[in-house]
Amino acid sequence: MTAPHLPSTTPTIRPDVITRTRVRRAAPALLGTSEPIILPEPAMEAEAAAPPLPPPPRPGITSAAADEPEPYRVGYKKPPKHSQFKKGQSGNKKGRPKGAKGLNTIVRNIYTKKVTVRSASGSERMSKMEAIVHKTVEKSFSGDMRAIDKSLKLYAQCVPDEPIAVAAPVESVSAADMDAHDKAILAAYRRTAREEEDE
């Protein structure tokens, strides 16, 4: 007794399908020739002959209206055309005119202009800022307390004190670490210190 044939559970591997052109042989009795006639695929022929399809019309719009551009709609980031800035025209007409100087430039120009100042040493040309400093120092020498206060603050601001270099602490050296030369120097120092105390 033979076992019943069971279907295989493993999938069958098929080679890639190759498309071929259809070849139809004409009947030799009708045409009088045995040459094969190659006919193009009907799908390819239809694709080559058909013109591209126009886009589908939008609902509620006729074909004539579909060709026209969409009308401009006012909304978010789309202001009305009449109120938009014209090209090359400033949006702030009352703003600072071209070439106008700012406050910093005006102050810098005024204080850096040269003036002639007469002093005990003679006339001298200097900037207005230098002249103001000279006048403040001159008033402080005459005893004006406000001028003295301003001069001291100005000096402290412009001429800061140099940081004092702190010497490193001297480590104590034991007598065992000193050589004969170091011991002689120490003895001489003690002798001079005693003589100064006796005087």
Side-chain angles (χ1 to χ4, degrees):
M1 187 170 162
T2 58
H5 178 66
L6 296 172
S8 172
T9 56
T10 56
T12 19
I13 300 169
R14 304 171 92 197
D16 292 338
V17 178
I18 300 169
T19 56
R20 297 186 204 164
T21 55
R22 288 183 8 195
V23 177
R24 191 177 287 169
R25 294 185 182 273
L30 296 175
L31 297 176
T33 177
S34 63
E35 297 258 337
I37 300 170
I38 300 172
L39 299 173
E41 288 289 328
M44 291 171 65
E45 187 180 351
E47 281 179 16
L53 295 172
R58 291 194 297 260
I61 299 174
T62 60
S63 60
D67 296 340
E68 295 175 9
E70 195 174 322
Y72 183 79
R73 292 183 181 175
V74 178
Y76 179 64
K77 290 189 179 180
K78 287 188 173 185
K81 290 276 187 186
H82 66 85
S83 66
Q84 291 179 9
F85 297 138
K86 305 296 180 284
K87 210 169 190 178
Q89 178 184 337
S90 171
N92 185 12
K93 293 180 182 177
K94 293 184 180 178
R96 191 164 78 180
K98 196 174 183 181
K101 297 173 183 175
L103 182 61
N104 291 350
T105 310
I106 293 166
V107 170
R108 194 181 304 112
N109 289 348
I110 288 172
Y111 278 106
T112 53
K113 275 187 183 173
K114 300 270 185 176
V115 290
T116 307
V117 177
R118 280 181 286 173
S119 62
S121 59
S123 60
E124 190 181 344
R125 281 196 62 81
M126 60 180 76
S127 69
K128 289 182 179 178
M129 198 70 232
E130 285 179 272
I132 288 168
V133 173
H134 275 281
K135 191 69 176 175
T136 308
V137 173
E138 189 182 307
K139 275 187 151 188
S140 63
F141 273 114
S142 65
D144 188 346
M145 288 307 293
R146 288 176 74 182
I148 290 169
D149 187 44
K150 283 181 184 175
S151 295
L152 291 173
K153 282 180 183 174
L154 188 64
Y155 184 83
Q157 184 182 347
C158 299
V159 189
D161 294 332
E162 291 184 16
I164 300 166
V166 180
V170 179
E171 295 178 11
S172 59
V173 181
S174 64
D177 295 337
M178 291 193 287
D179 59 359
H181 181 68
D182 293 335
K183 287 177 183 175
I185 293 169
L186 188 59
Y189 172 74
R190 284 178 180 158
R191 205 177 312 115
T192 52
R194 260 189 245 113
E195 285 171 6
E196 285 176 4
E197 283 178 11
D198 292 342
E199 290 176 0

